[in-house]
Amino acid sequence: MKKMSVLMSSVLLSSSLAMTTLPAYANLPFSVDGKQLPSLAPMLENVTPAVVLISVKGTQEVQSVPDAFRFFFGNPRQNAPRERPFQGLGSGVIIDAEKGYIVTNHHVVKEADEIQITLKDGRQISAKKIGADENSDIALLQVEADGLTQVKIADSDKLRVGDFTVAIGSPFGLGQTVTSGIVSALGRSGLNVENIEDFIQTDAAINSGNSGGALINLRGELIGINTAIIGPNGGNVGIGFAIPSNMVQSLVKQIIEFGEVRRGVLGVSGRSVTGEFAKAMELEEAQGAFIEEVTKDSAAEEAGIVAGDVITQVNGKKIKSFAELRGKIGAIGAGSEVELTVLKSNGKKKVYKVVLKKADSANIEPSSIHRALEGATLENNSQGFGVNVTDVEAGTPAALIGLRKGDIIRGVNRKRVANIGELRELLQDESSVSLLNIARGNSNLFIRIK
């Protein structure tokens, strides 16, 4: 029986090159019978320094007594959750050498108190988590170091089944390992129906420890972030999944700018168009997303989409299923305009321009902005200027410096702050003293932090 396993992963790279050709740089300076032998070594020498090993430490709550047996234990102390230390390993990819940004999986660094990066040259550096998105399993880390190497990012929408892939990561903590394969399928979903999924499937060997690593193409460009496998007991059987690079870029851009993923919402529910369904509805193609319901006051309703429509393309790219529609829309930020091609009930196609609305959920890490903000809950001001403090936990650093629920952070050191992204930029240097300009009711005040 096959089992779904989430990994500590690697990055996979794929290419749109024809399978019968290899790039010129893949040739080694020696030959057999007068013919040069192809090799990926020259390309990998440039790319592998951008893939790192991630070591994490932390504590997590565990139940002392399993739920099924709690009835037999009347003592509350026996039922109370306990904290247990844990350690883990994964992989990550440097996407911005100058700013030290590293992408990995959310599940690699989830609940981690300490995050350490090991570079290919052996250097070990502490990292901080800038933000994460559990639904798409993406996290963004940052380190301070010189001499970093970043990977070039490819357009994953141009991938084709059969393109070559190379996976780079640290399976089982063995150290950096490279495997190769092809793109087995595109637009895979259904691994976890609650998550945002639009996976690249590959047969390049991926194992535990590869999560967060790179999937690249033969040009040495990042096409995905490895995240999961299907296999017995967590072992590789040639079915691995990677988050497409275009989705990664969209999510990371939002985390950097806003401190959270401002997920766009279309406001529809529906089902995938199957062969039988297409026949019953007299549709020409057995693919697309059939819309069963449109939420009131949603982006879809405001654009003119109605129940019974079939969405066939997003921004000019065909979609095969409702899950693929959900994955693509979920990776696009709120406020973005999306072009949807819709097959109407009369058989005619129509193109809609839809401005996505913001999802309710947010996942901001205030301590990643500044240690003094730990314990505060922050969100961008709906008026388009400033950062709202929506809650402050008692006894935390945020409470101790004087922040209160309802405060609005308007500036830092007399410089105006438009959003969480700008707040992070202005508070990057935690060694110096900063003054937060706070609007509290009808009053303005300054709070000193260091």
Side-chain angles (χ1 to χ4, degrees):
M1 181 176 179
K2 292 181 179 180
K3 179 181 178 183
M4 172 57 60
S5 301
V6 175
L7 307 175
M8 295 291 184
S9 171
S10 74
V11 177
L12 303 179
L13 298 181
S14 157
S15 170
S16 59
L17 293 176
M19 293 184 64
T20 56
T21 63
L22 287 173
Y25 57 69
N27 291 325
L28 284 176
F30 61 84
S31 62
V32 174
D33 296 329
K35 296 181 180 180
Q36 288 186 326
L37 296 179
S39 174
L40 299 178
M43 177 270 286
L44 290 169
E45 287 171 358
N46 293 324
V47 176
T48 51
V51 183
V52 303
L53 171 67
I54 299 177
S55 307
V56 299
K57 294 181 181 179
T59 56
Q60 55 188 182
E61 286 190 353
V62 294
Q63 296 291 344
S64 301
V65 180
D67 290 342
F69 297 99
R70 286 192 181 187
F71 175 80
F72 301 100
F73 294 88
N75 187 342
R77 291 183 180 179
Q78 291 177 307
N79 294 339
R82 297 181 181 179
E83 287 193 340
R84 184 171 64 185
F86 73 89
Q87 297 182 3
L89 295 172
S91 305
V93 186
I94 301 172
I95 59 169
D96 189 324
E98 183 179 350
K99 295 184 178 179
Y101 287 141
I102 297 172
V103 174
T104 187
N105 286 143
H106 168 266
H107 74 260
V108 171
V109 295
K110 182 180 180 182
E111 299 179 345
D113 297 322
E114 297 179 30
I115 304 173
Q116 188 175 70
I117 303 300
T118 302
L119 301 175
K120 188 182 179 183
D121 62 14
R123 284 183 290 167
Q124 294 184 328
I125 310 164
S126 294
K128 67 176 181 179
K129 183 163 67 171
I130 298 299
D133 182 53
E134 184 173 8
N135 287 341
S136 60
D137 201 18
I138 283 293
L140 181 66
L141 312 179
Q142 187 174 34
V143 296
E144 293 184 8
D146 297 324
L148 299 179
T149 299
Q150 70 185 47
V151 67
K152 184 178 179 181
I153 302 179
D155 181 356
S156 55
D157 284 342
K158 294 182 178 179
L159 286 175
R160 299 175 300 170
V161 173
D163 285 347
F164 286 111
T165 61
V166 179
I168 312 172
S170 301
F172 306 111
L174 290 172
Q176 195 172 89
T177 301
V178 177
T179 57
S180 65
I182 62 170
V183 173
S184 304
L186 296 167
R188 287 295 197 209
S189 60
L191 277 66
N192 185 330
V193 294
E194 297 300 319
N195 288 349
I196 305 299
E197 300 176 348
D198 184 22
F199 292 125
I200 301 165
Q201 181 181 326
T202 182
D203 64 349
I206 302 172
N207 290 285
S208 182
N210 279 122
S211 285
L215 186 67
I216 62 172
N217 61 23
L218 294 185
R219 295 188 182 92
E221 300 165 337
L222 183 69
I223 59 169
I225 298 292
N226 294 338
T227 188
I229 62 170
I230 290 179
N233 304 315
N236 171 66
V237 293
I239 304 177
F241 300 94
I243 304 166
S245 58
N246 286 2
M247 178 184 286
V248 172
Q249 278 191 296
S250 177
L251 297 170
V252 165
K253 180 180 178 182
Q254 294 172 55
I255 291 173
I256 292 172
E257 186 173 357
F258 305 112
E260 61 173 320
V261 172
R262 302 180 62 186
R263 195 177 310 288
V265 175
L266 185 58
V268 297
S269 59
R271 65 171 69 189
S272 300
V273 176
T274 61
E276 291 183 358
F277 187 82
K279 184 177 180 180
M281 297 297 295
E282 298 181 351
L283 301 174
E284 293 182 1
E285 293 184 311
Q287 62 180 18
F290 180 79
I291 306 305
E292 296 179 327
E293 184 180 0
V294 177
T295 306
K296 184 176 176 56
D297 298 325
S298 66
E301 184 186 60
E302 291 178 1
I305 295 173
V306 298
D309 286 347
V310 178
I311 299 176
T312 60
Q313 295 183 33
V314 176
N315 290 332
K317 304 290 184 180
K318 284 188 176 182
I319 59 168
K320 298 178 181 178
S321 64
F322 190 87
E324 189 174 354
L325 171 69
R326 184 172 179 266
K328 289 189 180 300
I329 294 296
I332 300 173
S336 300
E337 184 179 80
V338 180
E339 183 180 279
L340 301 179
T341 302
V342 175
L343 181 64
K344 308 297 289 185
S345 57
N346 60 9
K348 294 183 178 180
K349 289 187 178 181
K350 187 173 181 179
V351 177
Y352 290 89
K353 301 284 188 179
V354 184
V355 179
L356 301 179
K357 293 193 173 182
K358 187 178 184 297
D360 294 332
S361 62
N363 191 1
I364 303 171
E365 301 277 352
S367 59
S368 74
I369 300 172
H370 194 285
R371 58 179 177 270
L373 299 180
E374 182 179 350
T377 302
L378 307 176
E379 67 177 26
N380 289 321
N381 192 302
S382 60
Q383 305 299 319
F385 182 81
V387 176
N388 293 343
V389 181
T390 59
D391 195 18
V392 178
E393 190 177 341
T396 61
L400 294 177
I401 66 171
L403 277 181
R404 298 180 188 175
K405 180 180 178 180
D407 286 350
I408 302 175
I409 303 174
R410 295 290 194 183
V412 175
N413 297 339
R414 301 189 182 279
K415 293 183 179 179
R416 300 178 74 185
V417 169
N419 52 48
I420 291 171
E422 289 189 6
L423 179 63
R424 175 183 287 112
E425 288 291 329
L426 292 172
L427 292 178
Q428 266 192 333
D429 185 6
E430 294 194 8
S431 63
S432 62
V433 175
S434 296
L435 294 174
L436 299 181
N437 185 356
I438 303 294
R440 180 176 294 167
N442 295 324
S443 302
N444 282 307
L445 63 144
F446 285 89
I447 291 180
R448 181 179 181 273
I449 64 172
K450 182 176 180 179

